[in-house]
Amino acid sequence: MGHYGDLQTQIYRDGLHGVLPDYPVDFATLEERAQNALSPSLLNYVQGGCGDEHTQRANVSAFHHWGMVPRMLVDCTTRDLSIEFLGLTLPSPIFMAPIGVNGEMTQDRRGDIAAAEASATTGVPFCASTLSNSPLEEVAQAAGPTPAFFQLYTPKNLELAESLIRRAEAAGYRALVITLDTWVTGWRPRDLNAANFPQLRGKVLENYFSDPVFRSLLARPPEDDIAAAVEAWTTIFGKVLTWNDIAWFKSVTRLPIILKGICHPDDARRAVDHGVDAIYCSNHGGRQANGGIAAIDMLPDVVKAVGGVPVLFDSGIRSGSDVIKALALGATAVGIGRPYAYGLALGGAKGAAHVLRSILAEADLLMAVNGYPTIDAVAEASARETM
Ligand code: FNR
């Protein structure tokens, strides 16, 4: 059986023939190359965050104060990175976090399709954003047999919300991820200084423009009057959700419901009491609130609060070692965000797949070296605070 870590042998062997990897295997080099590949406005949008960006830096640096204790004399010649999640057996414990500007990350503006193709080739599930350059049906198709999730930005118009959910069900998505922290956009100085907000320029709105309910609200179709369609979108985006809304979601869909943005243990407990299927602990990569606490530092209390209900995690994952630490702190599965987006920018589906494979290779080799043959063993090893 092959292992994710075999990628390293392949890279070294290729090197014997003078062949270097097409894309970087580490985040720092990846980001540096993406900086050169992206337009300044798109780079700002992806790389930037809220306020002085302290939170997004903390998300990353906080991983340095968690460490793993190695275990020796354990046979790790075979590693199993698979996990069970919502009745699915997934080959690895990572997934692709929803990124609403994926569509713009490739020159052909079909980056959502490229991301889904990377999912198809790696088996890493893709969480498709509501904000997309390609309709969710096409994205689901491109993901092939790999299970995909649909992330919903709940519109104020519930008929439209229901339409998007029905479309996601019909397209075969396996779970509904409801993002809670983005009914309004956080204060993002980089984008503000450049006066750039992609949606207002008519970008990434195809799920709305292709929706029969949204179209029925317009005097003329988006193809004929894009400005009016964008204006309609601005008035409809972003319902303020409260706990009372969870019953509505449960009444309209049988898809498992995952709440994204839960960071407080009381909210996690309450979400479980409301019957949600999984919690998604994330601070949106520091893009929404500059609250100051790293997401990884909030994860252990959330996990403790929910008594075995699955907990997804993202925000600050840059390497395979970060993935292992998040699993050791109780995450069921770990979301990769900006790194795969940069992979898309450098090489479309191939670039994104390379980033995911590199992260998995590092995680696998850390498990091999540290004596954790399975994800359960990672969870048992736990992570220690180093300061
Ligand atoms: C996001 N994120 C996001 N989340 C979401 O629920 N729906 C979305 O459409 C988007 N869009 C989006 C765009 C960009 C450019 C970024 C960087 C992020 C948040 C995303 O799902 C995830 O929470 C963060 O990316 C995690 O932070 P890091 O690890 O990427 O820094």
Side-chain angles (χ1 to χ4, degrees), residues 24-365:
V25 300
D26 66 295
F27 182 75
T29 320
L30 181 70
E31 188 174 42
E32 197 182 300
R33 287 207 24 208
Q35 269 162 348
N36 296 326
L38 290 167
S39 68
S41 60
L42 194 49
L43 179 67
N44 277 335
Y45 190 78
V46 178
Q47 193 177 42
C50 188
D52 67 0
E53 302 181 354
H54 166 76
T55 304
Q56 73 178 45
R57 285 191 298 278
N59 279 343
V60 174
S61 60
F63 278 90
H64 297 149
H65 64 239
W66 292 101
M68 302 293 302
V69 182
R71 304 302 305 270
M72 291 296 121
L73 299 169
V74 181
D75 182 359
C76 283
T77 42
T78 303
R79 277 95 55 206
D80 180 359
L81 273 69
S82 68
I83 58 160
E84 304 286 325
F85 176 63
L86 300 177
L88 301 166
T89 301
L90 303 174
S92 84
I94 65 170
F95 64 96
M96 300 163 79
I99 293 202
V101 81
N102 276 338
E104 295 291 317
M105 294 302 280
T106 57
Q107 304 264 350
D108 63 0
R109 303 191 60 232
R110 287 172 58 80
D112 306 284
I113 300 293
E117 286 170 355
S119 165
T121 56
T122 58
V124 173
F126 178 45
C127 186
S129 170
T130 308
L131 298 173
S132 176
N133 272 352
S134 302
L136 60 92
E137 291 82 1
E138 279 179 39
V139 174
Q141 216 163 15
T146 305
F149 313 132
F150 181 69
Q151 176 268 326
L152 183 71
Y153 279 135
T154 311
K156 290 175 188 155
N157 178 321
L158 286 184
E159 208 191 328
L160 173 59
E162 187 169 347
S163 176
L164 290 166
I165 294 169
R166 295 264 167 270
R167 288 172 60 194
E169 285 172 345
Y173 288 92
R174 308 298 282 268
L176 183 68
V177 174
I178 302 167
T179 298
L180 305 175
D181 59 15
T182 312
W183 65 271
V184 65
T185 308
W187 181 256
R188 299 178 188 163
R190 290 202 215 191
D191 298 334
L192 289 163
N193 286 335
N196 176 52
F197 192 64
Q199 292 88 316
L200 285 188
R201 292 163 191 258
K203 295 171 178 171
V204 302
L205 299 180
E206 275 313 309
N207 278 330
Y208 301 89
F209 294 173
S210 60
D211 191 277
V213 173
F214 184 80
R215 294 174 74 89
S216 74
L217 303 170
L218 305 174
R220 292 197 293 154
E223 305 82 73
D224 295 345
D225 190 348
I226 180 94
V230 170
E231 200 45 44
W233 175 83
T234 60
T235 62
I236 225 166
F237 181 83
K239 178 173 165 54
V240 182
L241 295 172
T242 70
W243 290 107
N244 294 333
D245 294 303
I246 305 300
W248 180 82
F249 285 110
K250 286 176 70 74
S251 76
V252 293
T253 186
R254 294 223 170 133
L255 285 177
I257 291 176
I258 303 172
L259 297 185
K260 180 172 189 271
I262 299 273
C263 294
H264 193 294
D266 289 348
D267 289 347
R269 233 172 264 124
R270 206 161 169 190
V272 173
D273 290 346
H274 278 72
V276 308
D277 299 275
I279 305 294
Y280 190 153
C281 176
S282 161
N283 63 11
H284 214 110
R287 295 168 63 74
Q288 278 299 93
N290 196 18
I293 303 180
I296 191 67
D297 292 341
M298 297 191 274
L299 174 66
D301 285 344
V302 167
V303 170
K304 217 182 298 167
V306 299
V309 168
V311 178
L312 304 185
F313 173 81
D314 77 26
S315 296
I317 298 288
R318 298 291 177 262
S319 69
S321 303
D322 295 344
V323 169
I324 295 299
K325 288 178 189 177
L327 294 168
L329 289 169
T332 310
V334 179
I336 313 300
R338 288 177 172 103
Y340 87 77
Y342 291 146
L344 282 178
L346 293 186
K350 273 193 186 157
H354 172 87
V355 168
L356 298 170
R357 287 193 181 113
S358 297
I359 287 172
L360 284 171
E362 185 184 340
D364 178 41
L365 290 170

